[in-house]
Amino acid sequence: MRINVSQQLKAPIGLVRDYEVSEVVGIAGGSRLVQGEVRLIRTNRGILAKARLHAEVEVTCSRCLSLFSCPLRLDIEEEYFPTTDVVSGAWLPLPEEPGRFIIDQHHILDLTEAIRQYALLAIPMKPLCHEGCVGLCLICGHDLNQGPCGCLPRGVGSGQSKLNKLA
Ligand SMILES: [Zn+2]
Ligand SMILES: [Zn+2]
């Protein structure tokens, strides 16, 4: 997701540019459509990028192991620093901040890496395909969301009554 900011770098501090974006970005091993709004604000050091984006990633449910599409909301806020002076072309010193983002020598601000990083943070640690997912049978691996299996019940849902009958 590349935006040429050469004009904005020549503009006074505080100048705002808004963009609507819709682009495919590689996230978590797959190509995902990322859409939303990007606001770029000229700062005294570079460009502040504020983006509100949506994407969907395919993740594995932590209970039933099915693949499902998980919507992500990305609220990105990062300052980008120019590597060269937009008027003279001279190289500029970059701030010694770890993980800072840069605008390349062709004045391209590339949001891709920030999108990737924010998306990885936004993916839930233990994703659930739906709130009440009951997962897999521990014995036969049957997906209990599709109904009970024939194994000895372990107090899951309808299994409880069978257990009582057996006892
Ligand atoms: Zn599930
Ligand atoms: Zn089973």
Side-chain angles (χ1 to χ4, degrees):
M1 197 167 284
R2 297 155 59 83
I3 301 171
N4 188 315
V5 293
S6 59
Q7 290 307 312
Q8 200 173 3
L9 285 171
K10 290 173 192 161
I13 292 166
L15 185 106
V16 172
R17 286 257 185 279
D18 288 323
Y19 299 85
E20 289 267 331
V21 293
S22 174
E23 209 170 300
V24 172
V25 177
I27 298 169
S31 300
R32 316 292 176 200
L33 181 65
V34 178
Q35 291 179 297
E37 289 138 35
V38 177
R39 167 162 285 194
L40 301 184
I41 304 155
R42 176 71 165 112
T43 65
N44 59 339
R45 303 193 295 178
I47 304 273
L48 180 66
K50 290 186 175 191
R52 290 179 151 239
L53 304 171
H54 296 270
E56 292 216 342
V57 293
E58 202 137 274
V59 293
T60 305
C61 175
S62 60
R63 284 190 195 149
C64 72
L65 308 180
S66 66
L67 272 179
F68 69 100
S69 187
C70 174
L72 300 182
R73 211 189 108 162
L74 311 178
D75 274 318
I76 295 174
E77 186 166 334
E78 292 290 342
E79 192 169 12
Y80 283 71
F81 301 98
T83 42
T84 56
D85 186 278
V86 70
V87 179
S88 69
W91 290 97
L92 294 172
L94 286 168
E96 305 259 332
E97 286 170 29
R100 61 185 168 31
F101 290 98
I102 58 162
I103 300 163
D104 75 8
Q105 65 266 43
H106 307 294
H107 316 299
I108 302 293
L109 186 157
D110 191 347
L111 282 169
T112 309
E113 185 51 33
I115 290 170
R116 207 173 277 148
Q117 289 181 13
Y118 277 72
L120 289 180
L121 289 175
I123 295 172
M125 299 286 271
K126 291 193 170 177
L128 286 183
C129 61
H130 64 277
E131 199 65 31
C133 175
V134 288
L136 303 178
C137 169
L138 295 173
I139 299 164
C140 72
H142 174 80
D143 184 354
L144 296 172
N145 294 306
Q146 286 162 20
C149 58
C151 299
L152 191 69
R154 295 197 162 192
V156 180
S158 61
Q160 190 64 54
S161 53
K162 273 195 220 159
L163 186 65
N164 292 341
K165 263 181 237 156
L166 285 171

